Amino acid sequence: MKKMYVIGALLLVAMTWGCSSRGGSAAGGALGGAALGAGAYEYNAHRQMQQLDQDYKAGKMNKQEYEIRKDQIEKGSLFQR
């Protein structure tokens, strides 16, 4: 998943280099920044889910707590799992 974000970021950077006008460069930069921000947000949600799974397997929470927290993370995600 991390590789996908890196590849996407590199493609956006390559696309913005191709813009010859200032307006095109600004728009491309704004879109690239938004895409990177969304990618970072999703990566953080992924890390939270991994930590949640580890905590549940370690017995730090019961099934009900696990399900509640899992739903909270999934609702905050841009891409519903």
Side-chain angles (χ1 to χ4, degrees), residues 2-15:
K2 187 176 180 181
K3 289 180 184 179
M4 182 176 72
Y5 294 127
V6 172
I7 291 170
L10 291 174
L11 286 173
L12 288 171
V13 169
M15 287 174 26

Side-chain angles (χ1 to χ4, degrees), residues 15-52:
M15 287 174 26
T16 59
W17 279 342
C19 297
S20 60
S21 69
R22 286 186 180 176
S25 294
L31 290 174
L36 289 175
Y41 187 82
E42 284 301 311
Y43 181 69
N44 186 39
H46 174 72
R47 285 184 35 221
Q48 287 179 352
M49 285 297 294
Q50 287 180 330
Q51 184 64 46
L52 182 68

